[in-house]
Amino acid sequence: MKLNRVLLALTAFFFLTGFIGIGIGSDGAKRSLDLKDTSGGGASGEATIEPFESKMPDLRTLGIFVNGLKPASVYSLWYADEQGKRSPAGVKTNHFTTDASGKARYVTTVYEYEVDDWRYLDVMHHPDGNPQNTGGMIQVLRGDLVYGTHP
């Protein structure tokens, strides 16, 4: 009888700790999220967030792979919330250029607290090729940082 209670307690512990660690970076685990097309162009992608290195526990590596975007074009990566507010995703830079087939791989460093403070990760197109011009950028991909992550 006592063994059954111990097994039940251990099972409950492992079950609950699996749900507690769902937040990105809170358990130090690698997380991925799908980037879904929002512009009707058939693009897609995936973002991966994982620990940067043990000596810098607040930093995360954010890597994305995208395809189906406009070839040889400039894009940028942004955090976003439900009200449309945005902030650049990346410590030093947040923009990249697709290759001749519309694919790109991009890696940057982000702070864990910033990832946890936002709801979405958006990929924005800069039709004029200038990532500094945010007035004309167009959202093309979106990932859900809260509900769209998976190991």
Side-chain angles (χ1 to χ4, degrees):
M1 184 72 165
K2 192 172 191 177
L3 181 61
N4 285 342
R5 288 184 189 166
V6 170
L7 288 174
L8 181 62
L10 285 173
T11 302
F13 172 78
F14 287 115
F15 181 74
L16 291 173
T17 56
F19 285 103
I20 292 170
I22 286 177
I24 294 175
S26 62
D27 62 354
K30 178 179 175 180
R31 300 278 184 225
S32 298
L33 62 141
D34 295 325
L35 299 173
K36 298 178 181 175
D37 190 297
T38 58
S39 66
S44 64
E46 182 179 43
T48 304
I49 303 168
E50 58 189 309
F52 181 67
E53 60 181 63
S54 62
K55 294 178 184 176
M56 304 186 90
D58 293 339
L59 287 178
R60 299 287 178 257
T61 299
L62 170 60
I64 65 165
F65 172 75
V66 293
N67 59 54
L69 297 175
K70 187 174 178 181
S73 295
V74 176
Y75 292 84
S76 57
L77 198 58
W78 295 80
Y79 300 117
D81 66 12
E82 293 86 349
Q83 290 77 34
K85 183 178 176 187
R86 288 194 172 85
S87 179
V91 173
K92 291 185 179 184
T93 184
N94 73 320
H95 59 276
F96 60 93
T97 303
T98 55
D99 66 12
S101 63
K103 296 179 182 178
R105 291 181 190 266
Y106 174 71
V107 178
T108 189
T109 306
V110 296
Y111 291 105
E112 176 183 349
Y113 67 87
E114 286 183 328
V115 174
D116 291 340
D117 285 348
W118 293 93
R119 172 67 193 271
Y120 301 109
L121 187 64
D122 290 344
V123 175
M124 308 294 284
H125 179 230
H126 297 268
D128 65 356
N130 180 3
Q132 306 305 318
N133 180 7
T134 59
M137 63 184 186
I138 302 163
Q139 180 184 327
V140 293
L141 295 170
R142 173 168 272 188
D144 191 325
L145 290 165
V146 176
Y147 298 110
T149 63
H150 51 85

